[in-house]
Amino acid sequence: QKEVEQDPGPLSVPEGAIVSLNCTYSNSAFQYFMWYRQYSRKGPELLMYTYSSGNKEDGRFTAQVDKSSKYISLFIRDSQPSDSATYLCAMNGGSNYKLTFGKGTLLTVNP
Amino acid sequence: KAGVTQTPRYLIKTRGQQVTLSCSPISGHRSVSWYQQTPGQGLQFLFEYFSETQRNKGNFPGRFSGRQFSNSRSEMNVSTLELGDSALYLCASSLDSMYQPQHFGDGTRLSIL
């Protein structure tokens, strides 16, 4: 079993849709959870950083962490064509210092 | 505030050669980590430097090495290049710890012929 599982998609939605992206993980020591957005030919851009369980909101983005289920989500409201990118989840914690990434979900928002 | 800067953006090398990549972290950040990104394996951790010392290391062969200077700038070196080393090499910086938010540069695209 991989430490972090992420559906690679691709995911295609119309402009204005609510997008839900998810990752599951197996290591209960993970405490820090991140979502990155990566455009083609660019590096990952940090969108959300959360610690432990709960929700965090930043503009159109909401991150949720459910440690009991080992499940994290990123919601994008009112999606825009500029949101078209690959979204990567990442996590670390405990003695696991290195960020462990999901493989990424390719999202396309159609005008 | 300037972000993480990596140079060069693109490199083409042949098998057996060596290469050095450079990374300038965000001002004030002292932890610098390196990652390799490939379509098949995704993002994999190479190593982390803090205060000019390698603090953490991933599962890569000794051909991959790095160093950090007193101004926190870091370099990564790959010797005896192999075809499988073709990848995007990413540098990330954070304030003091890998548990803090890590900010990435745009990477160096290394192609081995």
Side-chain angles (χ1 to χ4, degrees):
Chain A
Q1 182 187 9
K2 291 183 180 177
E3 275 196 298
V4 179
E5 300 272 8
Q6 183 176 9
D7 188 338
L11 183 60
S12 182
V13 301
E15 184 176 352
I18 296 175
V19 176
S20 173
L21 303 166
N22 311 292
C23 288
T24 59
Y25 63 95
S26 58
N27 192 333
S28 57
F30 288 149
Q31 299 171 286
Y32 304 92
F33 303 91
M34 283 138 273
W35 285 96
Y36 288 88
R37 176 175 63 193
Q38 186 172 23
Y39 293 114
S40 179
R41 302 184 186 280
K42 303 285 278 183
E45 173 194 3
L46 182 63
L47 288 175
M48 302 290 280
Y49 169 87
T50 55
Y51 169 70
S52 196
S53 286
N55 295 357
K56 183 175 182 179
E57 188 174 317
D58 184 0
R60 297 184 295 112
F61 299 91
T62 299
Q64 288 186 350
V65 175
D66 182 348
K67 289 193 70 180
S68 63
S69 301
K70 297 190 180 68
Y71 187 88
I72 70 170
S73 301
L74 177 71
F75 297 95
I76 307 174
R77 291 182 299 280
D78 188 26
S79 56
Q80 303 295 310
S82 58
D83 294 328
S84 298
T86 296
Y87 288 79
L88 298 150
C89 63
M91 53 199 77
N92 62 4
S95 61
N96 307 283
Y97 45 83
K98 67 180 175 78
L99 278 180
T100 300
F101 285 83
K103 288 294 184 69
T105 299
L106 178 60
L107 171 68
T108 300
V109 181
N110 301 298
Chain B
K1 200 174 191 181
V4 177
T5 304
Q6 291 188 247
T7 57
R9 289 295 312 277
Y10 302 94
L11 267 177
I12 299 175
K13 294 286 186 180
T14 57
R15 281 182 297 173
Q17 287 186 308
Q18 74 166 18
V19 66
T20 298
L21 314 180
S22 180
C23 172
S24 293
I26 292 171
S27 178
H29 285 194
R30 297 189 295 163
S31 168
V32 175
S33 300
W34 289 89
Y35 294 81
Q36 181 195 66
Q37 186 176 30
T38 59
Q41 299 298 317
L43 274 138
Q44 293 186 290
F45 171 71
L46 282 153
F47 33 64
E48 182 223 6
Y49 283 85
F50 179 81
S51 290
E52 302 178 63
T53 301
Q54 187 180 89
R55 185 163 63 176
N56 292 301
K57 188 178 186 306
N59 297 321
F60 277 80
R63 300 185 297 108
F64 293 82
S65 63
R67 60 176 176 170
Q68 187 181 34
F69 302 94
S70 58
N71 61 358
S72 294
R73 191 177 71 84
S74 178
E75 289 182 347
M76 189 189 95
N77 183 275
V78 188
S79 62
T80 319
L81 287 165
E82 300 176 359
L83 291 177
D85 296 334
S86 293
L88 180 65
Y89 290 89
L90 293 160
C91 167
S93 75
S94 57
L95 275 170
D96 295 301
S97 162
M98 293 190 70
Y99 299 120
Q100 295 166 323
Q102 294 187 40
H103 298 270
F104 285 81
D106 284 336
T108 295
R109 172 75 61 186
L110 176 62
S111 299
I112 311 302
L113 303 179

